[in-house]
Amino acid sequence: MPTRICIIRHGETDWNAGRRIQGQIDVPLSAAGHAQARATANALRDEGFAALYSSDLVRAKQTAEATAHLVRLSLHFEAALRERHYGVFQGLTHAEVQARYPAAYARHLARDPRFAPPGGESLLDLASRVGAICDDIARRHAGEAVALFTHGGVLDILHRQAMGRPIDAPRDFAIPNCGINWFEVEHGCWQLIAWAERGHLEAAHDEL
């Protein structure tokens, strides 16, 4: 039996709505984000998860807690499921980054795999971190169903790895807040089953 992995991006924050780069800064859910988290919990309540994992950043924790409460499972927190660290970009809007660091922002927009914002992570670093923790969780729960609550950058990497797409290719897929994404893993091979399900939500922002 393949391992079924449901991966959910955290609910909306005020910084998402304001196009402000969060990275690994701890920003809580907005009122809209809490509503999205509750709607997501209701959508997932009958999936029979064996375990729930979450990034240890507060916006992912708060999203995961709604599902954990409803399905009566404890949460396992993994720092490796955090968003990409954006270094000096964190806390700024995209317009502010472009104005202050035009050359660095150009490399960021070009998805240069080796580029790391000063103090932050490159896409290659992120991909290595994400691949390692997600493969490890899949091995822990072979043949079971698990849910992971994480971030847009993590989902971007997983989509590309499952679809065999390079990390420097332009992104042409949405990553909405509290979108539900399903993967199956068998013999270490990831297959994308469903992407960005959002029928349970009234609205979602995609600031990337």
Side-chain angles (χ1 to χ4, degrees):
M1 291 288 293
T3 303
R4 298 173 63 237
I5 300 185
C6 181
I7 306 185
I8 304 98
R9 186 185 176 201
H10 63 81
E12 181 182 305
T13 71
D14 288 335
W15 282 25
N16 288 145
R19 289 182 53 79
R20 191 169 295 277
I21 297 170
Q22 296 170 116
Q24 294 189 8
I25 294 177
D26 246 350
V27 182
L29 296 182
S30 63
H34 280 291
Q36 291 170 340
R38 292 191 296 270
T40 301
N42 283 319
L44 298 176
R45 65 188 307 165
D46 297 321
E47 293 294 343
F49 293 122
L52 304 179
Y53 290 84
S54 175
S55 156
D56 62 352
L57 295 178
V58 66
R59 57 193 185 271
K61 282 184 181 180
Q62 291 176 329
T63 306
E65 283 166 354
T67 297
H69 175 75
L70 205 57
V71 303
R72 299 183 179 181
L73 285 174
S74 59
L75 282 171
H76 304 280
F77 296 109
E78 295 282 359
L81 290 174
R82 288 182 179 184
E83 180 59 282
R84 179 183 178 185
H85 198 302
Y86 282 98
V88 296
F89 292 1
Q90 294 185 164
L92 304 177
T93 65
H94 288 264
E96 288 168 342
V97 174
Q98 186 172 24
R100 296 186 193 184
Y101 308 102
Y105 191 65
R107 292 185 70 188
H108 168 68
L109 290 183
R111 295 189 63 89
D112 180 341
R114 292 176 175 79
F115 167 70
E121 286 180 290
S122 70
L123 284 172
L124 288 176
D125 292 336
L126 176 65
S128 176
R129 167 165 66 86
V130 169
I133 184 59
C134 290
D135 283 342
D136 183 49
I137 290 172
R139 285 190 294 268
R140 293 180 213 171
H141 297 282
E144 297 178 328
V146 296
L148 280 58
F149 294 82
T150 185
H151 305 267
V154 173
L155 276 158
D156 178 88
I157 294 296
L158 289 171
H159 185 286
R160 293 166 188 277
Q161 290 181 346
M163 298 298 290
R165 300 183 61 185
I167 60 175
D168 59 350
R171 178 159 73 79
D172 58 2
F173 48 91
I175 310 179
N177 290 108
C178 274
I180 295 174
N181 311 280
W182 285 96
F183 297 81
E184 287 187 353
V185 185
E186 195 165 16
H187 305 302
C189 181
W190 284 67
Q191 181 179 3
L192 179 60
I193 303 302
W195 184 259
E197 293 179 347
R198 63 185 97 180
H200 58 295
L201 303 174
E202 292 184 358
H205 284 277
D206 181 11
E207 88 285 4
L208 296 177

